[in-house]
Amino acid sequence: ALVEYLKQYGAVRTDKVAEVMESIDRALFVAEGLTPYTDSPMPIGYNATISAPHMHATCLELLKDHLQPGMHALDVGSGIQVHY
């Protein structure tokens, strides 16, 4: 549902970015008791946050045209690793 929201919001514009966003469960990176599937930053301790999903989607959309088959990119803030 989060990726569908991000599509409607306009942050996810391509199938590849949608596929990548759906490939990793954000709950793995969000503290227990928080709702991981909302489009907002979440605290991860040490006065730091994991960015809102729309920020990761935007970065992936900007990066996608620069990746070629066999390349990898890691969005450290989201835990998303892109394989082409």
Side-chain angles (χ1 to χ4, degrees), residues 26-84:
R26 189 169 191 247
L28 297 172
F29 304 93
V30 174
E32 192 173 321
L34 297 176
T35 306
Y37 309 114
T38 59
D39 189 29
S40 63
M42 300 279 171
I44 57 172
Y46 306 100
N47 288 331
T49 61
I50 183 173
S51 297
H54 76 269
M55 296 301 295
H56 300 295
T58 300
C59 292
L60 289 169
E61 288 289 354
L62 292 170
L63 182 63
K64 69 175 175 30
D65 292 334
H66 302 283
L67 296 174
Q68 300 298 318
M71 296 175 85
H72 298 87
L74 177 62
D75 182 343
V76 175
S78 69
I80 294 173
Q81 186 170 8
V82 181
H83 299 275
Y84 274 80

Side-chain angles (χ1 to χ4, degrees), residues 3-16:
V3 173
E4 287 303 315
Y5 168 80
L6 293 173
K7 286 180 182 179
Q8 292 175 355
Y9 178 76
V12 172
R13 298 184 308 272
T14 60
D15 290 339
K16 184 62 178 180

